[in-house]
Amino acid sequence: MLKDTRYIFVTGGVVSSLGKGITSASIGSILESKGYKVSVIKLDPYFNVDPGTMSPFQHGEVFVTEDGSETDLDLGHYERFIDHKCTKDNNFTAGKIYYSVLKKERKGEYLGKTVQIIPHITDEIKNRVLAASSNCDIAIVEIGGTVGDIESQSFIESIRQLGLELKPYQTAYLHLTYVPFLTNAGELKTKPTQHSVKEYRTLGLQPDVLICRSEYDVPKESKEKIALFCSMPNDGVISLPNLKTIYQVPLRLAEEGIDKKLTEILQLDKNKPKLNAWKKVVKRKLDPSSEINVAFVGKYVDLKDAYFSLIEALDHAGIHNDAKVNLNFINSEELNSKNYHRVLSKADAILVPGGFGDRGIEGMILAAKYARQKNVPYFGICLGLQIAIIEMSRNLLGLKDANSTEFKSKTQHKVISLVTEWKNKDGSIEKRSRDSEKGGTMRLGAQNASLVKGSLAQKLYKKKTIFERHRHRYEVNPDYVESLEANGLIVSGRSEFKNLVEIIELKDHPWFLACQFHPEFTSKPKTGHPLFCLLYTSDAADDTPCVDLGGRRII
């Protein structure tokens, strides 16, 4: 461990969605490969306490940490790129900061003082950053939004103050900007970046490193021009053009010398980063030897960020099996009894992901029915498991009204119902009802489950007990499990507490598996995840559960 923790503060300018999260995660990966313990912290300027109740169309995916925190999707990037498990301390919002300060004010903790942005809000932000970084060598602190936004000013002010309070070699300021290419002019324009840095400097900060995002590589002359007008050394300006895959970003940043620059600023060891694992990932990603077509039947398919970790996990499966995974995104609202055979006919496998609410549910049920009847591999995640239970209850048990109380509260056959009680990792018991507040009231975080010996799940995991992350309110009603098992259902995984259904399979089906948890949250490009290793080559072990698809073996 370094004696003094180093801090890299990452901000963005010009426009949002430049890739601050992936850039922060990539820098963390580079520094980790040099032997440092790295943590990444995301500060979000919106006033929601957390993103848990926000629409996926507003915010994208909600990433769930092992300790059950509902966080920004950027934390998924952090966990996928570096060997660090994020907690509730790795993500906090302006809403959470203000809420905390107001609670302290109501308790009289400020001794009658006037509560203000400075120092009370900024002190709260600084204290949380320092607390979250107490057990690491290097903390990368990413501030959401764009420099100049009124919402983020308290966060910018906080990192300015930290630069004054910490030792000079403990802090580095990294600013991500956009260098647009004007087709009519046929050239890259540096003026937006210059103005972004100007705005940054008016807030009392000077970037040590400027990362220039662009459609094309920023040439040496343009980088020198940016450095001159932004009062920076030439080696502080780094080009990061659009790449074929996000997994090239650590390699590209290393080529541009970012590790040398940060080593100089933060007084780190001068050893070279070890990035061979990333080179292998990129090679397999860009040059696969086979491919598979997966029908992705969901309700948020118009915004791919709503399924970011899931899409990445499927990508990891392809990488680890030297295959390209072609995703056919199907809006479940548009799937009906007249077209589902035609729409799903070319799918090598069908995936039904998580989600909330009754919109598009009947289309998902048709997808599960097609997979079961046509012997097409099926993978259901969270809601996807509940969909499979509803479909089998209706079509195998003859319970035409079978449904979830989430979708139809007064249904006669409540095969999926509200979870009212469960045990947390610390052993405490949580209780909820339909009238409980929505925020933070779900079965959240990683919990233990036991697997049935000889089941498909047990063969994939190669272990008896698993520890996976949850984010849901509803569970399989145990009153119907015995009848379903008599009709071919296999409950191959159950929770440690209350014996809840965690994984289901089907007898006499080549590959049918659904889980109540979210395995995508723990999949990594370097290691993948057992349930997402969809493709196996013909030399796979004989005991590997698989089905032959025209020379390919799919699992």
Side-chain angles (χ1 to χ4, degrees):
M1 287 282 291
L2 291 173
K3 181 180 179 182
D4 298 314
T5 300
R6 307 316 200 250
Y7 295 87
I8 301 171
F9 299 109
V10 180
T11 55
V14 185
V15 294
S16 59
S17 301
L18 288 177
K20 293 192 301 295
I22 292 172
T23 301
S24 298
S26 298
I27 292 170
S29 178
I30 292 170
L31 295 172
E32 186 178 67
S33 76
K34 287 167 66 70
Y36 294 108
K37 186 177 181 181
V38 179
S39 179
V40 192
I41 306 165
K42 176 68 183 293
L43 316 185
D44 281 306
Y46 51 77
F47 271 78
N48 302 69
V49 173
D50 61 43
T53 58
M54 294 171 71
S55 166
F57 292 109
Q58 284 277 318
H59 186 265
E61 173 188 80
V62 173
F63 184 82
V64 178
T65 58
E66 188 172 281
D67 66 355
S69 297
E70 295 176 290
T71 66
D72 186 82
L73 64 80
D74 277 335
L75 270 72
H77 297 316
Y78 308 159
E79 287 205 4
R80 283 187 286 272
F81 276 69
I82 64 177
D83 292 327
H84 169 71
K85 289 184 179 178
C86 296
T87 69
K88 59 182 176 62
D89 296 326
N90 289 86
N91 183 211
F92 54 88
T93 68
K96 187 172 286 185
I97 293 295
Y98 277 75
Y99 185 56
S100 176
V101 169
L102 289 173
K103 285 199 296 183
K104 290 179 180 179
E105 185 273 333
R106 291 290 83 190
K107 291 179 180 178
E109 293 186 23
Y110 296 117
L111 302 176
K113 294 179 181 178
T114 302
V115 178
Q116 298 176 296
I117 302 295
I118 303 173
H120 301 99
I121 296 296
T122 52
D123 281 354
E124 183 75 14
I125 293 170
K126 289 187 294 181
N127 290 339
R128 286 177 179 253
V129 169
L130 294 174
S133 57
S134 60
N135 193 34
C136 66
D137 294 313
I138 302 170
I140 300 171
V141 183
E142 178 196 345
I143 298 179
T146 305
V147 166
D149 294 344
I150 191 170
E151 295 94 342
S152 64
Q153 287 186 4
S154 57
F155 290 105
I156 299 295
E157 172 60 19
S158 298
I159 65 171
R160 185 192 71 81
Q161 292 179 20
L162 281 171
L164 298 174
E165 296 167 7
L166 297 170
K167 297 171 184 176
Y169 61 80
Q170 281 187 269
T171 60
Y173 293 90
L174 190 152
H175 192 53
L176 201 70
T177 71
Y178 183 56
V179 181
F181 179 83
L182 297 186
T183 305
N184 291 342
E187 61 181 357
L188 294 165
K189 290 295 183 180
T190 64
K191 193 64 69 178
T193 290
Q194 294 176 43
H195 281 290
S196 180
V197 173
K198 180 182 177 181
E199 177 70 24
Y200 192 69
R201 295 174 74 184
T202 64
L203 299 172
L205 294 168
Q206 169 67 34
D208 296 301
V209 178
L210 198 60
I211 295 184
C212 299
R213 291 282 291 108
S214 181
E215 293 180 59
Y216 305 101
D217 200 5
V218 179
K220 181 181 178 182
E221 303 79 42
S222 295
K223 289 200 286 186
E224 290 176 348
K225 181 180 179 180
I226 291 169
L228 176 64
F229 284 97
C230 294
S231 300
M232 298 179 63
N234 290 341
D235 64 354
V237 180
I238 288 174
S239 171
L240 184 57
N242 291 347
L243 301 169
K244 293 179 180 179
T245 171
I246 59 174
Y247 303 126
Q248 289 178 293
V249 176
L251 300 174
R252 174 67 192 212
L253 290 175
E255 288 172 5
E256 286 281 307
I258 196 167
D259 60 297
K260 295 179 182 178
K261 188 64 181 177
L262 291 175
T263 294
E264 173 192 328
I265 297 167
L266 301 173
Q267 296 183 14
L268 304 174
D269 292 336
K270 295 182 179 180
N271 58 316
K272 292 183 179 181
K274 300 175 182 178
L275 302 174
N276 285 336
W278 284 115
K279 292 177 182 178
K280 292 178 181 178
V281 166
V282 170
K283 185 179 185 301
R284 285 197 159 193
K285 166 65 179 174
L286 299 182
D287 189 25
S289 61
S290 61
E291 62 182 70
I292 179 177
N293 300 310
V294 177
F296 192 113
V297 185
K299 58 170 66 182
Y300 311 123
V301 294
D302 291 335
L303 181 68
K304 305 302 186 295
D305 274 1
Y307 301 115
F308 202 100
S309 290
L310 187 47
I311 294 170
E312 288 300 294
L314 289 164
D315 210 18
H316 303 163
I319 289 169
H320 280 270
N321 293 282
D322 196 21
K324 179 183 179 182
V325 180
N326 300 314
L327 297 180
N328 177 23
F329 291 96
I330 300 170
N331 189 330
S332 59
E333 283 189 284
E334 299 173 0
L335 211 57
N336 56 55
S337 58
K338 294 181 180 179
N339 68 10
Y340 79 103
H341 278 274
R342 173 179 55 82
V343 174
L344 299 171
S345 62
K346 295 182 180 179
D348 293 326
I350 295 172
L351 184 144
V352 176
F356 296 93
D358 62 355
R359 183 173 58 83
I361 292 303
E362 294 303 321
M364 295 181 187
I365 292 172
L366 288 172
K369 178 182 179 181
Y370 181 90
R372 179 179 60 82
Q373 293 182 336
K374 299 293 184 180
N375 281 340
V376 175
Y378 177 87
F379 190 15
I381 295 176
C382 195
L383 176 61
L385 176 144
Q386 298 172 9
I387 290 295
I389 291 292
I390 294 170
E391 188 279 320
M392 286 185 270
S393 298
R394 290 181 182 180
N395 298 310
L396 293 180
L397 301 186
L399 308 177
K400 299 303 180 185
D401 191 44
N403 215 324
S404 167
T405 54
E406 179 183 8
F407 315 136
K408 189 177 179 181
S409 60
K410 295 182 179 179
T411 184
Q412 181 181 356
H413 297 288
K414 301 176 177 64
V415 295
I416 305 294
S417 55
L418 185 70
V419 55
T420 57
E421 182 177 294
W422 67 92
K423 185 168 68 173
N424 290 323
K425 184 180 179 182
D426 62 6
S428 61
I429 305 298
E430 290 279 0
K431 294 185 178 182
R432 295 290 183 266
S433 71
R434 181 174 290 278
D435 297 324
S436 297
E437 292 181 357
K438 291 291 187 287
T441 62
M442 291 183 282
R443 185 179 169 203
L444 287 165
Q447 297 173 19
N448 285 321
S450 298
L451 304 181
V452 173
K453 185 177 181 181
S455 65
L456 172 59
Q458 192 270 326
K459 290 178 181 178
L460 292 173
Y461 277 104
K462 294 181 173 61
K463 57 176 70 172
K464 297 178 181 178
T465 304
I466 58 174
F467 192 54
E468 294 282 10
R469 303 180 191 184
H470 293 255
R471 184 177 183 252
H472 59 98
R473 292 186 179 89
Y474 295 81
E475 301 280 357
V476 176
N477 188 336
D479 293 343
Y480 293 87
V481 170
E482 186 176 344
S483 297
L484 287 166
E485 287 179 323
N487 283 270
L489 180 74
I490 300 170
V491 178
S492 58
R494 288 186 178 272
S495 66
E496 181 181 62
F497 182 68
K498 289 288 185 181
N499 211 29
L500 300 171
V501 173
E502 292 279 25
I503 304 176
I504 62 170
E505 302 170 18
L506 270 183
K507 291 180 182 177
D508 303 321
H509 192 287
W511 206 98
F512 193 107
L513 187 146
C515 54
Q516 187 60 78
F517 48 83
H518 288 269
E520 68 270 25
F521 290 147
T522 53
S523 178
K524 294 174 180 282
K526 295 178 184 178
T527 58
H529 185 285
L531 296 187
F532 283 98
C533 289
L534 295 171
L535 295 163
Y536 275 68
T537 57
S538 58
D539 60 351
D542 291 338
D543 62 348
T544 302
C546 60
V547 57
D548 197 294
L549 289 174
R552 296 193 302 275
R553 302 178 84 192
I554 177 170
I555 178 167

